[in-house]
Short mmCIF file of all heavy atoms in Angstrom, two decimals:
data_model
loop_
_atom_site.label_atom_id
_atom_site.label_comp_id
_atom_site.label_asym_id
_atom_site.label_seq_id
_atom_site.Cartn_x
_atom_site.Cartn_y
_atom_site.Cartn_z
N GLU A 155 4.56 3.54 34.17
CA GLU A 155 5.82 3.37 33.46
C GLU A 155 6.92 4.24 34.08
O GLU A 155 8.06 3.80 34.28
CB GLU A 155 5.60 3.77 31.99
CG GLU A 155 6.76 3.49 31.09
CD GLU A 155 6.40 3.72 29.62
OE1 GLU A 155 5.30 4.25 29.33
OE2 GLU A 155 7.23 3.37 28.77
N ILE A 156 6.53 5.49 34.43
CA ILE A 156 7.50 6.41 35.03
C ILE A 156 8.00 5.84 36.36
O ILE A 156 9.21 5.77 36.61
CB ILE A 156 6.84 7.80 35.26
CG1 ILE A 156 6.49 8.46 33.91
CG2 ILE A 156 7.73 8.70 36.09
CD1 ILE A 156 5.63 9.72 34.02
N LEU A 157 7.05 5.41 37.21
CA LEU A 157 7.43 4.93 38.54
C LEU A 157 8.29 3.67 38.44
O LEU A 157 9.28 3.51 39.15
CB LEU A 157 6.18 4.69 39.39
CG LEU A 157 6.43 4.25 40.83
CD1 LEU A 157 7.29 5.27 41.59
CD2 LEU A 157 5.12 4.03 41.59
N LYS A 158 7.91 2.78 37.53
CA LYS A 158 8.70 1.54 37.41
C LYS A 158 10.14 1.88 36.98
O LYS A 158 11.11 1.33 37.51
CB LYS A 158 8.06 0.58 36.40
CG LYS A 158 8.80 -0.76 36.42
CD LYS A 158 8.27 -1.77 35.48
CE LYS A 158 9.25 -2.96 35.43
NZ LYS A 158 8.96 -3.87 34.35
N ASN A 159 10.27 2.80 36.05
CA ASN A 159 11.62 3.20 35.61
C ASN A 159 12.44 3.78 36.74
O ASN A 159 13.61 3.49 36.88
CB ASN A 159 11.52 4.22 34.47
CG ASN A 159 11.42 3.53 33.13
OD1 ASN A 159 11.99 2.46 32.94
ND2 ASN A 159 10.65 4.10 32.23
N VAL A 160 11.81 4.63 37.54
CA VAL A 160 12.54 5.25 38.66
C VAL A 160 12.97 4.17 39.66
O VAL A 160 14.10 4.19 40.14
CB VAL A 160 11.65 6.32 39.35
CG1 VAL A 160 12.25 6.75 40.68
CG2 VAL A 160 11.49 7.52 38.45
N LEU A 161 12.09 3.22 39.92
CA LEU A 161 12.40 2.17 40.90
C LEU A 161 13.50 1.23 40.39
O LEU A 161 14.34 0.78 41.16
CB LEU A 161 11.14 1.37 41.24
CG LEU A 161 10.09 2.12 42.06
CD1 LEU A 161 8.79 1.32 42.12
CD2 LEU A 161 10.58 2.42 43.47
N THR A 162 13.50 0.94 39.09
CA THR A 162 14.49 -0.01 38.58
C THR A 162 15.80 0.66 38.17
O THR A 162 16.87 0.16 38.45
CB THR A 162 13.93 -0.82 37.38
OG1 THR A 162 13.38 0.11 36.46
CG2 THR A 162 12.86 -1.79 37.81
N GLU A 163 15.70 1.83 37.54
CA GLU A 163 16.91 2.50 37.05
C GLU A 163 17.56 3.40 38.08
O GLU A 163 18.69 3.83 37.92
CB GLU A 163 16.61 3.35 35.79
CG GLU A 163 15.86 2.64 34.67
CD GLU A 163 16.64 1.47 34.09
OE1 GLU A 163 17.87 1.57 34.04
OE2 GLU A 163 16.00 0.47 33.74
N LYS A 164 16.84 3.73 39.13
CA LYS A 164 17.32 4.66 40.18
C LYS A 164 17.79 5.99 39.57
O LYS A 164 18.81 6.54 39.96
CB LYS A 164 18.47 4.03 40.99
CG LYS A 164 18.19 2.65 41.53
CD LYS A 164 17.61 2.71 42.93
CE LYS A 164 17.32 1.33 43.49
NZ LYS A 164 16.08 1.18 44.17
N GLU A 165 17.07 6.44 38.57
CA GLU A 165 17.40 7.72 37.94
C GLU A 165 16.20 8.64 37.98
O GLU A 165 15.06 8.17 38.01
CB GLU A 165 17.78 7.50 36.47
CG GLU A 165 19.24 7.22 36.29
CD GLU A 165 19.57 6.95 34.84
OE1 GLU A 165 18.70 7.16 33.98
OE2 GLU A 165 20.70 6.51 34.58
N ARG A 166 16.44 9.93 37.95
CA ARG A 166 15.32 10.88 37.95
C ARG A 166 14.59 10.83 36.60
O ARG A 166 15.22 10.60 35.58
CB ARG A 166 15.83 12.32 38.09
CG ARG A 166 16.65 12.57 39.28
CD ARG A 166 17.17 14.00 39.21
NE ARG A 166 16.24 14.93 39.81
CZ ARG A 166 16.36 16.25 39.71
NH1 ARG A 166 17.31 16.78 38.99
NH2 ARG A 166 15.49 17.04 40.30
N ILE A 167 13.29 11.08 36.62
CA ILE A 167 12.56 11.15 35.36
C ILE A 167 11.77 12.46 35.30
O ILE A 167 11.06 12.82 36.24
CB ILE A 167 11.60 9.96 35.20
CG1 ILE A 167 12.43 8.69 35.02
CG2 ILE A 167 10.64 10.16 34.02
CD1 ILE A 167 11.68 7.50 34.53
N ILE A 168 11.96 13.17 34.20
CA ILE A 168 11.21 14.41 33.98
C ILE A 168 10.41 14.19 32.71
O ILE A 168 10.98 14.04 31.64
CB ILE A 168 12.16 15.61 33.82
CG1 ILE A 168 13.21 15.59 34.93
CG2 ILE A 168 11.38 16.91 33.68
CD1 ILE A 168 13.32 16.74 35.82
N ASP A 169 9.09 14.12 32.82
CA ASP A 169 8.25 13.88 31.64
C ASP A 169 7.18 14.95 31.55
O ASP A 169 6.12 14.84 32.15
CB ASP A 169 7.61 12.49 31.75
CG ASP A 169 6.83 12.14 30.48
OD1 ASP A 169 6.62 13.04 29.64
OD2 ASP A 169 6.42 10.98 30.35
N ILE A 170 7.53 16.00 30.81
CA ILE A 170 6.55 17.09 30.69
C ILE A 170 6.14 17.26 29.22
O ILE A 170 5.82 18.36 28.77
CB ILE A 170 7.06 18.41 31.29
CG1 ILE A 170 8.38 18.82 30.66
CG2 ILE A 170 7.21 18.30 32.78
CD1 ILE A 170 8.68 20.30 30.81
N THR A 171 6.18 16.16 28.49
CA THR A 171 5.78 16.17 27.08
C THR A 171 4.45 16.89 26.93
O THR A 171 3.51 16.63 27.68
CB THR A 171 5.53 14.72 26.57
OG1 THR A 171 6.39 13.87 27.28
CG2 THR A 171 5.70 14.62 25.08
N LYS A 172 4.37 17.77 25.93
CA LYS A 172 3.14 18.51 25.72
C LYS A 172 2.37 17.85 24.58
O LYS A 172 2.93 17.64 23.52
CB LYS A 172 3.46 19.96 25.37
CG LYS A 172 2.39 20.85 25.85
CD LYS A 172 2.83 22.28 25.97
CE LYS A 172 1.61 23.02 26.49
NZ LYS A 172 1.84 24.24 27.08
N SER A 173 1.12 17.47 24.80
CA SER A 173 0.38 16.86 23.71
C SER A 173 -0.97 17.53 23.53
O SER A 173 -1.81 17.05 22.81
CB SER A 173 0.21 15.37 23.96
OG SER A 173 -0.08 15.13 25.30
N ASP A 174 -1.15 18.64 24.23
CA ASP A 174 -2.37 19.46 24.14
C ASP A 174 -3.64 18.72 24.50
O ASP A 174 -4.72 19.26 24.39
CB ASP A 174 -2.50 20.09 22.75
CG ASP A 174 -2.21 21.58 22.85
OD1 ASP A 174 -1.86 22.01 23.96
OD2 ASP A 174 -2.33 22.28 21.85
N GLY A 175 -3.51 17.48 24.89
CA GLY A 175 -4.73 16.85 25.39
C GLY A 175 -4.87 15.38 25.07
O GLY A 175 -5.26 15.02 23.98
N VAL A 176 -4.56 14.56 26.05
CA VAL A 176 -4.83 13.14 25.88
C VAL A 176 -6.11 12.81 26.63
O VAL A 176 -6.48 13.50 27.57
CB VAL A 176 -3.67 12.27 26.41
CG1 VAL A 176 -2.43 12.45 25.59
CG2 VAL A 176 -3.39 12.57 27.87
N ILE A 177 -6.79 11.79 26.17
CA ILE A 177 -7.99 11.34 26.85
C ILE A 177 -7.99 9.82 26.84
O ILE A 177 -7.55 9.20 25.86
CB ILE A 177 -9.26 11.97 26.23
CG1 ILE A 177 -10.50 11.60 27.06
CG2 ILE A 177 -9.46 11.59 24.77
CD1 ILE A 177 -11.66 12.58 26.87
N TYR A 178 -8.40 9.24 27.95
CA TYR A 178 -8.38 7.77 28.05
C TYR A 178 -9.39 7.34 29.10
O TYR A 178 -9.86 8.15 29.90
CB TYR A 178 -6.98 7.28 28.44
CG TYR A 178 -6.39 8.03 29.62
CD1 TYR A 178 -6.61 7.60 30.92
CD2 TYR A 178 -5.63 9.17 29.42
CE1 TYR A 178 -6.10 8.30 32.00
CE2 TYR A 178 -5.11 9.88 30.49
CZ TYR A 178 -5.34 9.44 31.77
OH TYR A 178 -4.85 10.13 32.84
N GLU A 179 -9.73 6.07 29.05
CA GLU A 179 -10.66 5.49 30.02
C GLU A 179 -10.03 4.24 30.61
O GLU A 179 -8.95 3.83 30.18
CB GLU A 179 -11.99 5.13 29.35
CG GLU A 179 -12.78 6.32 28.85
CD GLU A 179 -13.30 7.24 29.96
OE1 GLU A 179 -13.40 6.80 31.12
OE2 GLU A 179 -13.60 8.41 29.64
N ASP A 180 -10.72 3.67 31.58
CA ASP A 180 -10.37 2.36 32.12
C ASP A 180 -9.08 2.29 32.92
O ASP A 180 -8.55 1.22 33.16
CB ASP A 180 -10.34 1.29 31.00
CG ASP A 180 -11.67 1.24 30.27
OD1 ASP A 180 -12.71 1.43 30.94
OD2 ASP A 180 -11.67 1.06 29.04
N MET A 181 -8.55 3.45 33.31
CA MET A 181 -7.45 3.43 34.27
C MET A 181 -8.09 3.34 35.65
O MET A 181 -9.19 3.85 35.85
CB MET A 181 -6.67 4.75 34.19
CG MET A 181 -5.43 4.71 33.34
SD MET A 181 -4.32 3.40 33.76
CE MET A 181 -2.80 4.22 33.52
N PRO A 182 -7.43 2.69 36.63
CA PRO A 182 -8.06 2.63 37.95
C PRO A 182 -8.22 4.03 38.55
O PRO A 182 -7.41 4.92 38.27
CB PRO A 182 -7.08 1.80 38.78
CG PRO A 182 -5.81 1.78 38.03
CD PRO A 182 -6.13 2.01 36.59
#
Side-chain angles (χ1 to χ4, degrees):
E155 187 172 8
I156 294 171
L157 183 58
K158 187 180 170 192
N159 273 327
V160 167
L161 290 169
T162 50
E163 309 297 326
K164 309 268 180 223
E165 271 178 10
R166 304 175 88 190
I167 292 194
I168 313 239
D169 185 349
I170 57 159
T171 329
K172 211 160 181 160
S173 41
D174 252 4
V176 293
I177 186 157
Y178 49 89
E179 294 293 340
D180 304 324
M181 263 308 217

